[in-house]
Amino acid sequence: MLETSARLLRLLSLFQARRDWTGSELAERLGVTTRTVRNDVERLRELGYPVEARPGVAGGYRLGPGAALPPLLLDDEEAVAVALGLRVAAGGAVVGIEETSLSALAKLQSILPTRLRHRVESFASHALPVPARGTAVDAEVLTTLALACRDHLALRFDYEAHSGTPTRRATEPYRLVHRRQRWYLFAWDLERADWRTFRADRISPIGPPGPRFTPRSTPPDSEIAARVDSGVARAPWRYTARVIVHASADYVRSRIPTPIDIEQLAADRCAFEPGSDDPDRLALYLGMLEADFEVVDAPELAAALERIVARYQRAIGVRPIDAEH
């Protein structure tokens, strides 16, 4: 059994990890009786933490807003600084910590006093961000998605499909995944009765999340990440091309960050069908394979390659080939 002080810190951690708990759930996690849980809740209240209690069979406890910031006990200035820093990091300013930054931001945002939350929002609304390589996502939208995932709250939102067609979705959100400088929401689509992946920058939440839903059995995190990767790879690009690469399929897979179907033609030849919304970007992407390749029946890509070749020739003082004839 945990000592009282250690148990109180553990109880605070549980309140931050999930919004609502029943007394029996907390007792099981802490290895104590429900009476001890009630006593510990009273101790937290005496220390200034507004733990809210709900009566009845479906009742329980939650940590209300306006609490001191456990367990670091940050002062006001530190809390604002941390929240702003997490917003920047969640946007991809530091590669590799986007998801953990968003998780920490969601925890902090849920307990920030109103006066501090207004300061953070005021700074964010007047600060001019430096454009990143990925598509920008509003921090408030990300926080809303993260809290809905954490607290198992149903979420309705307007969504812009890849084609630009607006749709309205009703979902049970489960995970936020960061891939290739973009955020994706992995959720159960209630209308389609299936798992779906949504780009966060195309989501416009409709009202606050809610009500709570009973969590479904979800795939392992590794499988969720693989599904997101697969969905990104199968996106309906405006331009696609069949490309024959003079290298093995294993080599090409090692150069591509997302899963993709590759056809092995010979020991040193394979074919695949990459896509992009911009043929010039696709041409540059193929150049980074660092292998010879052939373009099959893709005039837009062929034209993009010719433009890049001419540009590089001019860069080194060579007259473009088309200008010599």
Side-chain angles (χ1 to χ4, degrees), residues 240-244 263 265 271-274 294-298:
T240 58
R242 179 172 173 81
V243 177
I244 298 175
E263 179 185 358
L265 303 176
F272 74 117
E273 296 184 2
E294 306 167 31
V295 176
V296 180
D297 192 25

Side-chain angles (χ1 to χ4, degrees), residues 1 23 47 56 78 83 87 100-101 110 116 122 124 147 155 159 161-162 166 172 199 206 210 216 268 278 284 311 321:
M1 182 182 299
L47 292 172
E78 291 170 333
R87 279 172 171 261
T100 51
S101 297
S110 67
L116 299 187
S122 176
L147 290 173
L155 187 66
Y159 188 71
H162 187 276
E172 295 176 354
R199 265 180 52 175
I206 302 173
R216 300 172 187 272
D268 59 349
D278 182 354
L284 291 171
R311 185 178 306 124
I321 295 176

Side-chain angles (χ1 to χ4, degrees), residues 84-99:
L84 292 173
L86 290 171
R87 279 172 171 261
V88 173
V94 182
V95 176
I97 65 168
E98 299 90 350
E99 292 182 43

Side-chain angles (χ1 to χ4, degrees), residues 75-293:
D75 62 29
D76 287 2
E77 299 301 324
E78 291 170 333
V80 171
V82 170
L84 292 173
L86 290 171
R87 279 172 171 261
V88 173
V94 182
V95 176
I97 65 168
E98 299 90 350
E99 292 182 43
T100 51
S101 297
L102 180 59
S103 174
L105 177 61
K107 290 181 181 180
L108 183 61
Q109 190 103 334
S110 67
I111 60 170
L112 273 179
T114 302
R115 67 182 188 282
L116 299 187
R117 191 179 298 118
H118 287 167
R119 288 176 60 183
V120 173
E121 293 172 354
S122 176
F123 182 92
S125 63
H126 291 87
L128 179 63
V130 176
R133 287 181 295 171
T135 305
V137 185
D138 187 272
E140 290 300 321
V141 173
L142 281 179
T143 304
T144 297
L145 299 181
L147 290 173
C149 291
R150 188 194 72 173
D151 297 335
H152 306 307
L153 299 175
L155 187 66
R156 296 173 65 247
F157 53 83
D158 289 326
Y159 188 71
E160 182 181 335
H162 187 276
S163 62
T165 303
T167 61
R168 181 157 291 185
R169 303 298 183 95
T171 66
E172 295 176 354
Y174 284 86
R175 293 286 190 279
L176 275 170
V177 182
H178 192 264
R179 283 291 186 274
R180 303 179 72 181
Q181 283 128 22
R182 284 197 178 106
W183 283 101
Y184 296 89
L185 173 68
F186 184 77
W188 180 264
D189 190 309
L190 293 172
E191 183 178 344
R192 292 157 179 79
D194 197 5
W195 297 108
R196 289 290 189 270
T197 299
F198 304 95
R199 265 180 52 175
D201 59 291
R202 295 175 177 167
I203 291 176
S204 298
I206 302 173
R212 288 195 67 188
F213 60 84
T214 301
R216 300 172 187 272
S217 177
T218 59
D221 285 350
S222 58
E223 184 178 334
I224 291 176
R227 289 191 184 196
V228 172
D229 283 339
S230 178
V232 172
R234 292 196 307 268
W237 303 113
R238 292 181 60 192
Y239 299 98
T240 58
R242 179 172 173 81
V243 177
I244 298 175
V245 185
H246 294 211
S248 68
D250 288 340
Y251 172 82
V252 174
R253 288 192 186 95
S254 71
R255 305 289 302 180
I256 298 176
T258 57
I260 191 169
D261 293 331
I262 301 177
E263 179 185 358
Q264 186 75 55
L265 303 176
D268 59 349
R269 284 166 59 86
C270 65
F272 74 117
E273 296 184 2
S276 175
D277 289 340
D278 182 354
D280 290 273
R281 184 171 299 177
L282 179 56
L284 291 171
Y285 164 75
L286 290 171
M288 290 188 291
L289 289 176
E290 296 186 1
D292 291 342
F293 61 89

